[in-house]
Amino acid sequence: MKKTKLLVTILTCIALVLFSTVPVMADKDNTIVSQASAPKSLNIYQASSRAVLNLCYQIFDPLVERDPKTGEIKPHLITSWKVLDDQTWEFKLRSGVTFHSGNPFNAESVRYTIMERILAPDQKSPQLSGFSWLEDVKVVDELTFLVKTKKPYPLVLQRMNTLFPMDPKWTKEMISKHGEEYLSRHANGTGPFKMMKFLEGRRMELEKNNDYWKKGVPSYNKLTIRFIKETSTRLAELLSGGIDDAAIPGDLAEKLKGNPDLMVNEVPILRFYFWQFDSMGRSSDTPEALKDPRVRKAIWHAIDRKTIVENVSGGHATYLNIPLNPKQFGAVTDMPSPEYDPEKAKDLLEEAGYADGFTMTAWSTGNSYQRVNEASAGYLEKVGIKLKFKEYGGRWGEFSKLMRAGKTDGVMGLSWGSYNVFDPDALWPYFFMIPEAAFNYTGDQILSDWLHEARATLDMEKRKTLYKKAQERITKMVYWMPFFIQHTLNATNKDFHYEMGVDQVPRWQYGVWR
Protein backbone atom coordinates (compact mmCIF):
# COMPACT_ATOMS: atom_id res chain seq x y z
CA MET A 1 0.00 0.00 0.00
CA LYS A 2 2.79 2.46 0.91
CA LYS A 3 4.67 1.68 -2.28
CA THR A 4 1.48 2.27 -4.30
CA LYS A 5 0.90 5.64 -2.65
CA LEU A 6 4.51 6.62 -3.28
CA LEU A 7 4.23 5.65 -6.95
CA VAL A 8 1.02 7.66 -7.35
CA THR A 9 2.71 10.67 -5.74
CA ILE A 10 5.71 10.45 -8.04
CA LEU A 11 3.59 10.02 -11.17
CA THR A 12 1.41 12.97 -10.15
CA CYS A 13 4.45 15.14 -9.61
CA ILE A 14 5.99 14.15 -12.94
CA ALA A 15 2.74 15.08 -14.65
CA LEU A 16 2.80 18.45 -12.93
CA VAL A 17 6.36 19.04 -14.06
CA LEU A 18 5.72 18.03 -17.64
CA PHE A 19 2.38 19.63 -18.24
CA SER A 20 2.27 22.66 -15.97
CA THR A 21 1.91 25.84 -17.99
CA VAL A 22 1.49 28.22 -15.06
CA PRO A 23 4.59 30.44 -14.86
CA VAL A 24 6.41 30.69 -11.54
CA MET A 25 6.03 34.32 -10.50
CA ALA A 26 8.52 35.87 -8.13
CA ASP A 27 7.11 38.13 -5.41
CA LYS A 28 10.30 39.87 -4.39
CA ASP A 29 8.67 41.50 -1.39
CA ASN A 30 7.43 38.26 0.20
CA THR A 31 9.56 35.15 -0.17
CA ILE A 32 7.53 32.00 0.47
CA VAL A 33 9.35 28.79 1.35
CA SER A 34 8.22 25.45 2.71
CA GLN A 35 9.13 22.94 5.39
CA ALA A 36 7.84 19.39 5.49
CA SER A 37 7.78 19.36 9.30
CA ALA A 38 5.79 21.83 11.38
CA PRO A 39 7.05 22.97 14.78
CA LYS A 40 4.78 22.17 17.70
CA SER A 41 6.28 24.87 19.89
CA LEU A 42 8.44 27.98 19.49
CA ASN A 43 9.74 27.66 23.05
CA ILE A 44 13.15 26.83 21.63
CA TYR A 45 14.72 25.12 24.64
CA GLN A 46 11.66 22.96 25.09
CA ALA A 47 12.22 21.55 21.59
CA SER A 48 15.04 19.83 19.75
CA SER A 49 13.60 19.18 16.29
CA ARG A 50 15.22 20.17 13.00
CA ALA A 51 12.05 22.13 12.12
CA VAL A 52 12.50 24.42 15.14
CA LEU A 53 16.27 24.66 14.73
CA ASN A 54 15.99 25.95 11.15
CA LEU A 55 13.43 28.55 12.21
CA CYS A 56 15.71 29.76 15.00
CA TYR A 57 18.31 30.94 12.48
CA GLN A 58 15.67 33.25 10.97
CA ILE A 59 14.19 34.76 14.14
CA PHE A 60 17.13 34.48 16.54
CA ASP A 61 20.89 34.70 16.11
CA PRO A 62 23.32 31.94 17.04
CA LEU A 63 26.30 33.11 19.06
CA VAL A 64 28.61 31.95 16.25
CA GLU A 65 27.94 31.09 12.61
CA ARG A 66 29.14 28.33 10.32
CA ASP A 67 30.48 28.67 6.81
CA PRO A 68 27.75 27.02 4.69
CA LYS A 69 30.27 25.13 2.53
CA THR A 70 32.98 24.08 4.99
CA GLY A 71 31.18 24.16 8.32
CA GLU A 72 33.97 26.33 9.76
CA ILE A 73 33.01 28.39 12.83
CA LYS A 74 32.92 32.17 12.28
CA PRO A 75 32.22 35.13 14.63
CA HIS A 76 28.63 36.35 14.81
CA LEU A 77 27.09 37.68 18.06
CA ILE A 78 30.34 36.53 19.62
CA THR A 79 33.17 38.53 18.02
CA SER A 80 36.17 36.87 19.69
CA TRP A 81 37.07 34.16 22.19
CA LYS A 82 40.04 32.75 24.05
CA VAL A 83 40.76 29.88 26.42
CA LEU A 84 41.92 31.25 29.80
CA ASP A 85 42.57 27.79 31.23
CA ASP A 86 41.40 24.22 30.60
CA GLN A 87 38.02 24.94 32.17
CA THR A 88 37.47 28.65 31.45
CA TRP A 89 36.58 30.32 28.14
CA GLU A 90 36.22 34.09 27.67
CA PHE A 91 33.84 35.49 25.04
CA LYS A 92 33.40 39.04 23.74
CA LEU A 93 30.02 40.10 22.33
CA ARG A 94 29.02 42.43 19.51
CA SER A 95 27.88 45.86 20.66
CA GLY A 96 24.73 47.67 19.55
CA VAL A 97 22.57 44.56 19.06
CA THR A 98 18.96 44.66 20.24
CA PHE A 99 16.14 42.16 20.55
CA HIS A 100 12.98 42.64 18.52
CA SER A 101 11.41 43.97 21.72
CA GLY A 102 13.92 46.83 21.72
CA ASN A 103 15.73 45.50 24.80
CA PRO A 104 19.54 45.37 24.55
CA PHE A 105 21.41 42.14 23.90
CA ASN A 106 24.24 41.66 26.38
CA ALA A 107 26.18 39.14 28.46
CA GLU A 108 23.28 38.74 30.87
CA SER A 109 21.16 37.55 27.93
CA VAL A 110 23.60 34.68 27.41
CA ARG A 111 23.83 33.85 31.10
CA TYR A 112 20.04 33.84 31.47
CA THR A 113 19.53 31.64 28.40
CA ILE A 114 22.00 28.99 29.51
CA MET A 115 21.52 28.98 33.26
CA GLU A 116 17.78 29.65 33.51
CA ARG A 117 16.32 28.27 30.27
CA ILE A 118 18.55 25.22 29.63
CA LEU A 119 20.30 24.13 32.82
CA ALA A 120 17.63 25.05 35.39
CA PRO A 121 16.20 21.74 36.74
CA ASP A 122 12.61 23.01 36.72
CA GLN A 123 12.82 23.60 32.94
CA LYS A 124 13.53 19.93 32.13
CA SER A 125 14.90 21.10 28.79
CA PRO A 126 15.32 18.37 26.15
CA GLN A 127 18.56 20.17 25.21
CA LEU A 128 20.04 19.72 28.67
CA SER A 129 22.28 16.82 27.62
CA GLY A 130 23.97 19.01 25.01
CA PHE A 131 25.05 21.45 27.75
CA SER A 132 25.60 19.08 30.71
CA TRP A 133 29.35 19.81 30.50
CA LEU A 134 28.74 23.41 31.60
CA GLU A 135 29.32 24.43 35.22
CA ASP A 136 28.52 28.15 35.17
CA VAL A 137 28.28 31.33 33.10
CA LYS A 138 29.68 34.49 34.69
CA VAL A 139 28.96 38.02 33.47
CA VAL A 140 32.16 40.08 33.48
CA ASP A 141 30.73 43.24 31.94
CA GLU A 142 28.04 44.25 29.45
CA LEU A 143 29.80 42.58 26.52
CA THR A 144 32.00 39.94 28.18
CA PHE A 145 31.15 36.61 29.75
CA LEU A 146 33.02 33.55 30.97
CA VAL A 147 32.01 29.94 30.49
CA LYS A 148 33.17 27.58 33.22
CA THR A 149 33.16 23.88 32.36
CA LYS A 150 33.00 20.95 34.78
CA LYS A 151 36.00 19.38 33.07
CA PRO A 152 38.05 20.42 30.04
CA TYR A 153 35.54 20.36 27.18
CA PRO A 154 36.69 20.78 23.56
CA LEU A 155 33.29 21.47 21.97
CA VAL A 156 32.45 24.73 23.75
CA LEU A 157 32.71 26.79 20.56
CA GLN A 158 30.74 24.29 18.48
CA ARG A 159 27.87 24.35 20.98
CA MET A 160 27.66 28.13 20.59
CA ASN A 161 26.37 27.61 17.03
CA THR A 162 23.07 26.26 18.36
CA LEU A 163 22.86 28.66 21.30
CA PHE A 164 20.25 31.34 20.54
CA PRO A 165 20.09 34.06 23.22
CA MET A 166 16.71 34.92 24.70
CA ASP A 167 15.60 38.33 26.01
CA PRO A 168 15.52 38.01 29.84
CA LYS A 169 13.32 41.07 30.47
CA TRP A 170 10.74 40.24 27.79
CA THR A 171 10.66 36.54 28.64
CA LYS A 172 10.04 37.14 32.34
CA GLU A 173 7.37 39.74 31.61
CA MET A 174 5.50 37.50 29.17
CA ILE A 175 5.60 34.52 31.53
CA SER A 176 4.35 36.73 34.36
CA LYS A 177 1.45 38.05 32.26
CA HIS A 178 0.51 35.02 30.18
CA GLY A 179 2.26 31.95 31.58
CA GLU A 180 4.99 29.73 30.13
CA GLU A 181 2.68 28.54 27.34
CA TYR A 182 2.93 32.01 25.75
CA LEU A 183 6.48 31.18 24.63
CA SER A 184 5.26 28.26 22.54
CA ARG A 185 3.39 30.66 20.21
CA HIS A 186 5.53 33.81 20.33
CA ALA A 187 9.23 34.43 19.71
CA ASN A 188 11.51 37.40 20.33
CA GLY A 189 15.10 37.19 19.14
CA THR A 190 17.85 39.40 17.72
CA GLY A 191 17.64 37.79 14.28
CA PRO A 192 17.06 39.10 10.76
CA PHE A 193 13.30 38.50 10.86
CA LYS A 194 10.59 39.32 13.40
CA MET A 195 7.78 36.86 13.91
CA MET A 196 4.41 38.38 13.03
CA LYS A 197 2.05 35.39 12.93
CA PHE A 198 2.23 31.68 13.76
CA LEU A 199 -0.59 29.47 12.55
CA GLU A 200 0.22 26.06 13.99
CA GLY A 201 0.54 23.35 11.38
CA ARG A 202 0.00 25.84 8.54
CA ARG A 203 2.48 28.68 8.28
CA MET A 204 4.66 31.27 9.97
CA GLU A 205 4.80 34.85 8.76
CA LEU A 206 8.00 36.83 9.36
CA GLU A 207 8.86 40.44 8.67
CA LYS A 208 12.24 42.06 8.04
CA ASN A 209 13.99 43.36 11.16
CA ASN A 210 14.85 46.87 10.03
CA ASP A 211 17.15 47.30 13.04
CA TYR A 212 19.19 44.16 12.32
CA TRP A 213 22.86 44.69 13.04
CA LYS A 214 23.98 43.08 9.77
CA LYS A 215 23.27 45.80 7.24
CA GLY A 216 21.54 44.75 4.04
CA VAL A 217 20.23 41.53 5.60
CA PRO A 218 17.61 40.44 4.77
CA SER A 219 17.39 41.88 1.26
CA TYR A 220 13.59 41.43 1.09
CA ASN A 221 10.76 42.45 3.41
CA LYS A 222 8.81 39.30 4.27
CA LEU A 223 9.47 35.60 4.71
CA THR A 224 6.57 33.18 4.90
CA ILE A 225 7.30 29.59 5.86
CA ARG A 226 4.54 27.17 4.94
CA PHE A 227 4.41 23.75 6.55
CA ILE A 228 3.52 21.24 3.83
CA LYS A 229 4.01 17.59 4.66
CA GLU A 230 2.93 16.02 1.37
CA THR A 231 5.57 16.01 -1.38
CA SER A 232 3.00 16.24 -4.18
CA THR A 233 1.38 19.30 -2.57
CA ARG A 234 4.74 21.05 -2.15
CA LEU A 235 5.59 20.48 -5.79
CA ALA A 236 2.19 21.59 -7.03
CA GLU A 237 2.57 24.81 -5.02
CA LEU A 238 6.11 25.30 -6.30
CA LEU A 239 5.08 24.88 -9.94
CA SER A 240 2.07 27.18 -9.60
CA GLY A 241 4.11 29.93 -7.92
CA GLY A 242 2.56 29.40 -4.49
CA ILE A 243 5.97 28.84 -2.92
CA ASP A 244 9.52 29.73 -3.96
CA ASP A 245 11.47 26.86 -2.42
CA ALA A 246 10.68 23.23 -1.59
CA ALA A 247 12.50 20.04 -0.62
CA ILE A 248 12.11 17.43 -3.35
CA PRO A 249 12.71 13.67 -3.59
CA GLY A 250 15.63 12.44 -5.65
CA ASP A 251 13.22 10.68 -8.02
CA LEU A 252 12.15 14.04 -9.45
CA ALA A 253 15.43 15.94 -9.50
CA GLU A 254 16.25 15.32 -13.16
CA LYS A 255 12.71 16.12 -14.29
CA LEU A 256 12.70 19.40 -12.38
CA LYS A 257 16.09 20.37 -13.80
CA GLY A 258 14.31 20.63 -17.15
CA ASN A 259 11.89 23.26 -15.84
CA PRO A 260 13.13 26.72 -16.98
CA ASP A 261 11.51 28.46 -14.00
CA LEU A 262 13.37 26.44 -11.36
CA MET A 263 16.84 25.63 -10.04
CA VAL A 264 17.65 22.33 -8.34
CA ASN A 265 20.17 22.63 -5.53
CA GLU A 266 21.86 19.55 -4.08
CA VAL A 267 24.14 19.51 -1.03
CA PRO A 268 25.76 16.55 0.81
CA ILE A 269 25.12 17.21 4.49
CA LEU A 270 26.33 16.02 7.90
CA ARG A 271 23.51 13.49 8.32
CA PHE A 272 24.14 9.87 7.38
CA TYR A 273 22.31 6.53 7.45
CA PHE A 274 23.64 3.37 9.11
CA TRP A 275 22.61 0.09 10.67
CA GLN A 276 23.19 -0.40 14.37
CA PHE A 277 23.33 -4.02 15.53
CA ASP A 278 22.07 -5.19 18.90
CA SER A 279 25.48 -6.77 19.42
CA MET A 280 25.04 -7.22 23.18
CA GLY A 281 21.63 -8.86 22.95
CA ARG A 282 20.00 -6.05 24.91
CA SER A 283 16.60 -7.03 23.52
CA SER A 284 15.44 -10.52 24.45
CA ASP A 285 14.12 -10.88 20.87
CA THR A 286 17.52 -10.39 19.23
CA PRO A 287 18.89 -13.65 17.77
CA GLU A 288 21.94 -15.06 19.53
CA ALA A 289 23.82 -14.97 16.23
CA LEU A 290 24.16 -11.17 16.34
CA LYS A 291 26.32 -11.36 19.45
CA ASP A 292 29.07 -12.89 17.29
CA PRO A 293 31.18 -10.26 15.44
CA ARG A 294 31.83 -12.81 12.67
CA VAL A 295 28.10 -12.87 11.93
CA ARG A 296 27.87 -9.10 11.92
CA LYS A 297 30.88 -8.93 9.58
CA ALA A 298 29.23 -11.54 7.36
CA ILE A 299 26.20 -9.27 7.05
CA TRP A 300 28.48 -6.39 6.01
CA HIS A 301 30.13 -8.60 3.35
CA ALA A 302 26.78 -9.98 2.14
CA ILE A 303 25.20 -6.67 1.10
CA ASP A 304 26.22 -4.72 -2.00
CA ARG A 305 25.66 -1.36 -0.36
CA LYS A 306 27.18 0.68 -3.20
CA THR A 307 24.61 -0.67 -5.63
CA ILE A 308 21.76 -0.23 -3.14
CA VAL A 309 22.69 3.39 -2.46
CA GLU A 310 22.90 4.16 -6.17
CA ASN A 311 19.59 2.47 -6.98
CA VAL A 312 17.59 3.80 -4.02
CA SER A 313 18.93 7.36 -4.17
CA GLY A 314 19.34 7.67 -7.93
CA GLY A 315 22.79 9.11 -7.31
CA HIS A 316 21.52 11.64 -4.75
CA ALA A 317 23.44 10.22 -1.77
CA THR A 318 27.11 9.51 -1.14
CA TYR A 319 28.18 5.95 -0.38
CA LEU A 320 29.82 5.67 3.05
CA ASN A 321 32.07 2.89 4.35
CA ILE A 322 33.20 4.34 7.71
CA PRO A 323 31.08 4.93 10.85
CA LEU A 324 31.48 8.71 10.71
CA ASN A 325 30.78 11.53 8.30
CA PRO A 326 34.12 12.54 6.70
CA LYS A 327 33.35 16.17 7.58
CA GLN A 328 33.44 15.36 11.29
CA PHE A 329 36.59 15.94 13.30
CA GLY A 330 38.98 12.99 13.39
CA ALA A 331 37.37 10.97 10.60
CA VAL A 332 39.84 8.61 8.90
CA THR A 333 38.43 8.31 5.40
CA ASP A 334 40.90 5.73 4.06
CA MET A 335 40.53 3.23 6.89
CA PRO A 336 40.02 -0.34 5.54
CA SER A 337 36.45 -1.60 5.97
CA PRO A 338 34.68 -4.79 4.82
CA GLU A 339 33.61 -4.73 1.19
CA TYR A 340 30.94 -6.65 -0.72
CA ASP A 341 32.01 -10.32 -0.81
CA PRO A 342 29.11 -12.82 -0.53
CA GLU A 343 31.44 -15.85 -0.53
CA LYS A 344 33.35 -14.42 2.41
CA ALA A 345 30.00 -13.85 4.12
CA LYS A 346 29.05 -17.51 3.71
CA ASP A 347 32.44 -18.62 5.06
CA LEU A 348 32.08 -16.43 8.16
CA LEU A 349 28.54 -17.68 8.84
CA GLU A 350 29.70 -21.29 8.56
CA GLU A 351 32.67 -20.58 10.83
CA ALA A 352 30.34 -19.05 13.42
CA GLY A 353 27.96 -22.02 13.24
CA TYR A 354 25.17 -20.34 11.26
CA ALA A 355 25.60 -21.88 7.83
CA ASP A 356 21.83 -22.42 7.69
CA GLY A 357 21.21 -18.76 8.49
CA PHE A 358 18.70 -17.19 10.87
CA THR A 359 15.94 -14.56 10.98
CA MET A 360 16.27 -11.04 12.41
CA THR A 361 14.34 -7.77 12.51
CA ALA A 362 15.27 -4.61 10.60
CA TRP A 363 13.75 -1.34 11.90
CA SER A 364 13.32 1.83 9.84
CA THR A 365 12.14 5.40 10.45
CA GLY A 366 11.45 6.63 6.92
CA ASN A 367 10.37 5.49 3.45
CA SER A 368 13.80 5.86 1.84
CA TYR A 369 15.41 3.98 4.72
CA GLN A 370 12.83 1.21 4.43
CA ARG A 371 13.69 0.84 0.74
CA VAL A 372 17.34 0.39 1.72
CA ASN A 373 16.34 -2.29 4.23
CA GLU A 374 14.16 -4.08 1.68
CA ALA A 375 16.96 -4.06 -0.90
CA SER A 376 19.38 -5.40 1.72
CA ALA A 377 16.97 -8.27 2.45
CA GLY A 378 17.44 -9.61 -1.08
CA TYR A 379 21.20 -9.87 -0.62
CA LEU A 380 20.92 -11.40 2.85
CA GLU A 381 18.55 -14.10 1.65
CA LYS A 382 21.31 -15.34 -0.68
CA VAL A 383 23.43 -16.21 2.37
CA GLY A 384 20.53 -17.62 4.39
CA ILE A 385 19.56 -14.61 6.54
CA LYS A 386 15.93 -13.51 6.50
CA LEU A 387 14.69 -10.06 7.50
CA LYS A 388 11.46 -9.08 9.22
CA PHE A 389 10.52 -5.42 8.96
CA LYS A 390 9.25 -2.95 11.52
CA GLU A 391 8.51 0.49 10.09
CA TYR A 392 8.27 3.66 12.18
CA GLY A 393 8.30 6.24 9.40
CA GLY A 394 7.46 9.68 10.79
CA ARG A 395 7.38 8.30 14.35
CA TRP A 396 10.88 9.01 15.61
CA GLY A 397 9.65 9.93 19.09
CA GLU A 398 7.90 6.61 19.50
CA PHE A 399 10.80 4.67 18.01
CA SER A 400 13.42 6.41 20.17
CA LYS A 401 11.46 5.53 23.32
CA LEU A 402 11.58 1.87 22.31
CA MET A 403 15.32 2.15 21.71
CA ARG A 404 15.90 3.75 25.09
CA ALA A 405 13.97 0.94 26.73
CA GLY A 406 16.02 -1.75 24.97
CA LYS A 407 13.04 -3.04 23.02
CA THR A 408 14.39 -2.71 19.48
CA ASP A 409 15.88 -6.05 18.41
CA GLY A 410 18.08 -7.09 15.50
CA VAL A 411 19.27 -4.07 13.52
CA MET A 412 18.11 -0.47 13.75
CA GLY A 413 18.26 1.65 10.59
CA LEU A 414 19.24 5.09 11.87
CA SER A 415 19.81 8.55 10.45
CA TRP A 416 21.83 11.02 12.55
CA GLY A 417 22.56 14.71 11.88
CA SER A 418 24.60 15.51 15.04
CA TYR A 419 22.57 18.71 15.66
CA ASN A 420 25.05 20.82 13.65
CA VAL A 421 28.10 19.70 15.67
CA PHE A 422 30.98 18.58 13.43
CA ASP A 423 32.53 16.25 15.97
CA PRO A 424 32.11 12.57 16.93
CA ASP A 425 31.16 13.72 20.43
CA ALA A 426 27.75 14.70 19.05
CA LEU A 427 27.28 11.19 17.63
CA TRP A 428 29.09 8.24 19.20
CA PRO A 429 28.40 9.02 22.89
CA TYR A 430 24.65 8.54 22.30
CA PHE A 431 25.37 4.93 21.31
CA PHE A 432 28.61 3.87 22.99
CA MET A 433 29.31 5.96 26.10
CA ILE A 434 28.64 4.22 29.43
CA PRO A 435 26.50 5.06 31.36
CA GLU A 436 25.30 8.11 29.38
CA ALA A 437 24.34 6.44 26.09
CA ALA A 438 20.57 6.29 25.70
CA PHE A 439 20.85 3.97 22.69
CA ASN A 440 23.61 1.65 23.90
CA TYR A 441 23.28 -1.79 22.29
CA THR A 442 27.01 -2.52 22.51
CA GLY A 443 28.19 -2.40 26.13
CA ASP A 444 31.83 -1.87 25.16
CA GLN A 445 33.67 -0.36 28.15
CA ILE A 446 36.95 0.08 26.25
CA LEU A 447 35.26 2.15 23.56
CA SER A 448 33.37 4.11 26.19
CA ASP A 449 36.61 4.96 28.03
CA TRP A 450 38.17 6.35 24.83
CA LEU A 451 35.13 8.56 24.19
CA HIS A 452 35.16 9.86 27.77
CA GLU A 453 38.86 10.66 27.41
CA ALA A 454 38.33 12.46 24.07
CA ARG A 455 35.53 14.54 25.59
CA ALA A 456 37.69 15.71 28.50
CA THR A 457 40.79 17.13 26.76
CA LEU A 458 41.58 20.23 24.71
CA ASP A 459 44.54 18.45 23.08
CA MET A 460 43.24 18.03 19.52
CA GLU A 461 45.99 15.63 18.43
CA LYS A 462 45.19 13.37 21.35
CA ARG A 463 41.51 13.51 20.43
CA LYS A 464 42.32 12.53 16.84
CA THR A 465 44.27 9.52 18.08
CA LEU A 466 41.42 8.43 20.35
CA TYR A 467 38.81 8.84 17.62
CA LYS A 468 40.95 6.87 15.18
CA LYS A 469 41.08 4.00 17.69
CA ALA A 470 37.33 4.30 18.24
CA GLN A 471 36.62 4.22 14.51
CA GLU A 472 38.83 1.13 14.13
CA ARG A 473 37.06 -0.64 16.98
CA ILE A 474 33.53 0.18 15.79
CA THR A 475 34.49 -1.19 12.37
CA LYS A 476 36.42 -4.24 13.59
CA MET A 477 33.66 -5.28 16.00
CA VAL A 478 31.00 -4.31 13.44
CA TYR A 479 28.82 -2.43 15.90
CA TRP A 480 27.58 -0.32 12.99
CA MET A 481 27.35 -0.78 9.23
CA PRO A 482 27.25 2.57 7.34
CA PHE A 483 25.32 3.07 4.11
CA PHE A 484 25.31 6.66 2.86
CA ILE A 485 25.66 10.38 3.49
CA GLN A 486 22.37 12.16 2.85
CA HIS A 487 21.97 14.97 0.34
CA THR A 488 19.43 17.75 0.60
CA LEU A 489 17.59 18.45 -2.65
CA ASN A 490 15.65 21.66 -3.08
CA ALA A 491 13.86 23.09 -6.09
CA THR A 492 13.86 26.87 -5.99
CA ASN A 493 12.50 29.76 -8.02
CA LYS A 494 15.29 30.52 -10.51
CA ASP A 495 15.34 34.16 -9.44
CA PHE A 496 15.80 33.44 -5.71
CA HIS A 497 19.35 32.54 -4.69
CA TYR A 498 20.31 31.27 -1.24
CA GLU A 499 22.66 28.64 0.21
CA MET A 500 21.74 25.40 1.89
CA GLY A 501 24.56 24.63 4.30
CA VAL A 502 26.41 21.37 4.81
CA ASP A 503 24.88 21.60 8.30
CA GLN A 504 21.40 21.13 6.74
CA VAL A 505 20.44 24.74 7.57
CA PRO A 506 18.84 26.82 4.78
CA ARG A 507 20.26 30.37 4.73
CA TRP A 508 16.99 31.96 3.61
CA GLN A 509 17.87 35.14 5.53
CA TYR A 510 20.82 35.73 3.18
CA GLY A 511 18.86 34.97 0.03
CA VAL A 512 18.62 37.52 -2.77
CA TRP A 513 16.23 38.00 -5.68
CA ARG A 514 17.85 38.48 -9.07
Side-chain angles (χ1 to χ4, degrees), residues 266-269 271 315-319 484-489:
E266 182 169 358
V267 179
I269 56 176
R271 182 175 296 278
H316 301 295
T318 302
Y319 171 70
F484 60 86
I485 298 166
Q486 281 187 219
H487 294 188
T488 60
L489 277 160

Side-chain angles (χ1 to χ4, degrees), residues 45 146-147 151 174 183 185 294 296 339 348 438 514:
Y45 298 110
L146 302 180
V147 165
K151 296 178 181 179
M174 294 305 105
L183 301 182
R185 297 291 175 271
R294 293 172 296 182
R296 300 193 296 271
E339 298 286 356
L348 285 168
R514 295 174 182 170

Side-chain angles (χ1 to χ4, degrees), residues 373-394:
N373 290 358
E374 289 172 353
S376 298
Y379 287 101
L380 290 175
E381 282 186 13
K382 294 177 183 178
V383 298
I385 299 173
K386 294 183 179 180
L387 287 189
K388 300 182 297 181
F389 300 113
K390 290 189 178 179
E391 300 176 50
Y392 277 75

Side-chain angles (χ1 to χ4, degrees), residues 243-293:
I243 56 177
D244 300 306
D245 180 64
I248 60 171
D251 315 68
L252 294 180
E254 294 307 315
K255 295 289 184 184
L256 288 171
K257 284 179 182 177
N259 188 307
D261 294 316
L262 300 173
M263 297 182 296
V264 174
N265 301 303
E266 182 169 358
V267 179
I269 56 176
L270 199 59
R271 182 175 296 278
F272 69 96
Y273 179 73
F274 59 95
W275 272 10
Q276 171 173 269
F277 295 96
D278 181 8
S279 55
M280 66 187 289
R282 182 176 172 184
S283 169
S284 59
D285 293 327
T286 293
E288 189 70 20
L290 283 185
K291 293 183 182 180
D292 191 323

Side-chain angles (χ1 to χ4, degrees), residues 153 227 295 345 352 370 420 456 475 490 495:
Y153 184 67
F227 309 118
V295 172
Q370 177 60 19
N420 293 13
T475 302
N490 278 60
D495 295 321

